[in-house]
Amino acid sequence: ATVGELDAAALFYLQSRGIPPGQARAILTRAFVNDALGRIGDEVVREAFEAEADAWLEQSLSPREREGARLAQPSGKGEGALA
């Protein structure tokens, strides 16, 4: 993975599916960060970093986008969105 601008085509794709711009950026950023987090061998440490990353990304969203992200959280029944 490299550091740089988010993929404009991926942003367009997510937004064309009705995902607000801020939430689309957060989804792509989380996917990028997930690669690094997945390399942390200690599950407790990895989960702590994941929680911090998710909290930071949520703070980057507008109040409206935050509400949409909460509504899109998976219920544990197989459906869900990347939010």
Side-chain angles (χ1 to χ4, degrees):
T2 62
V3 176
E5 296 289 323
L6 294 174
D7 183 346
L11 281 171
F12 176 79
Y13 175 82
L14 292 171
Q15 291 175 31
S16 72
R17 300 301 184 257
I19 297 173
Q23 192 174 353
R25 285 189 301 276
I27 289 168
L28 293 175
T29 302
R30 180 61 165 91
F32 178 81
V33 170
N34 196 49
D35 181 52
L37 294 176
R39 297 175 190 195
I40 299 173
D42 186 307
E43 185 176 353
V44 173
V45 173
R46 182 177 57 251
E47 289 175 357
F49 275 100
E50 287 172 347
E52 286 293 320
D54 289 340
W56 181 80
L57 288 170
E58 184 171 336
Q59 289 301 312
S60 73
L61 300 175
S62 71
R64 183 175 179 202
E65 291 168 332
R66 280 188 212 135
E67 183 60 27
R70 275 195 269 296
L71 295 174
Q73 289 296 316
S75 68
K77 296 182 180 175
E79 75 278 354
L82 295 174

